[in-house]
Structure formats: structure tokens, C-alpha cells
Amino acid sequence: MSGRLDSAQPYALGLFRIVVGLLFACHGAASLFGVLGGASGTGGTIDAGTWPGWYAAVIQLVGGGLVLLGLGTRAAAIVSSGSMAYAYFKVHQPGALWPMENGGEASAMFCWAFLLLAFTGSGAFGLDRLLARRASGQGQTATERQTPVAV
């Protein structure tokens, strides 16, 4: 059973990345554009340039989009994870110690999810892999790209 799970790991990781990126981008879109319930569910938006909310929303939209696509996944995940760590410790944690008490569950979960993606990479279905495959294929002649046949 372990062998089957191991062989499916890149695909599970790719799906995890897509879901986490989509959810994170939705948070940013809600805050910046007032869609999906808007900022804090009020239907409104965050004023441009306000610290830290507007900057967090931009990181959420851009970082979430990049992670969703699997493009620059590790860098986008590091920035996104740091953003959520800041949100937890500066915004939520002063209210109470535990995430359940201070409303910081989403910040804590996103922080750890993005930290995991920073270490594991994009998994399957990411543009990172597609671009790396294309880059490794360039500069080789057609005969060099052919796989050798075992005799």
C-alpha cells in the first residue's frame, strides 16, 4: 500500500497546491475587488495602499495565482507563508494565544501549507515542471532527445 501512495504523491501534491492556491487567491480577490463576499464578508474592498491589509491582499491574489498555476511555486510559497506568519503574529495572536480563540486558524493553516509547498515544490500539473522540461529539451538535437534503447 505504501508503494501505491508513494507513486501517487506528486499528483496529490499537485492537487493540494491547486486547492491551496485557489483558496488563497480568492481571499485576495475578495479584499481587492469586493467579490465572493468582499473584505471580511462585508461586500466592500480594502482601500488601496492601507497597511497591512491591502498589501496582504495583493500577496494573496498574486501569490495564490502563482501557486495555483505552479509557476515560481517555491518563491511564491515563501512570500505567502511569511505574509501569513505576519498576519498571525501581528494581527491575530495579540488577541489570544490559540488560533481558535483569536480567529487566526486560516492564517496559521495557510502559513504551514505554503511552507510545505516551499520545501516540496509544485508536484504534478505545475507550469514549473512544463517549463523545466522544455528548457532541458532545448539545445539538444533530435537524436540526442531520443531515449536510448536497452539491449
Side-chain angles (χ1 to χ4, degrees):
M1 177 157 167
S2 182
R4 286 185 187 172
L5 291 175
D6 287 346
S7 66
Q9 184 177 357
Y11 305 105
L13 186 58
L15 291 173
F16 175 78
R17 174 189 48 78
I18 290 168
V19 170
V20 169
L22 177 64
L23 293 173
F24 203 57
C26 285
H27 273 277
S31 297
L32 292 173
F33 307 122
V35 297
L36 305 169
S40 302
T42 63
T45 61
I46 296 177
D47 293 331
T50 57
W51 177 259
W54 186 81
Y55 294 95
V58 170
I59 290 171
Q60 290 167 358
L61 182 62
V62 174
L66 289 172
V67 168
L68 169 67
L69 295 172
L71 186 61
T73 303
R74 290 177 186 244
I78 286 284
V79 172
S80 298
S81 178
S83 167
M84 289 295 96
Y86 179 89
Y88 183 77
F89 287 111
K90 286 293 192 177
V91 177
H92 297 285
Q93 200 275 329
L97 178 62
W98 296 102
M100 292 295 294
E101 296 175 321
N102 64 30
E105 299 101 328
S107 296
M109 288 293 290
F110 276 125
C111 178
W112 286 103
F114 283 120
L115 191 61
L116 175 67
L117 288 171
F119 280 94
T120 60
S122 63
F125 318 120
L127 291 180
D128 285 343
R129 283 185 171 215
L130 179 66
L131 295 175
R133 209 174 308 140
R134 282 192 178 174
S136 67
Q138 291 177 350
Q140 295 178 341
T141 64
T143 56
E144 290 174 327
R145 276 184 285 221
Q146 293 176 352
T147 56
V149 179
V151 182

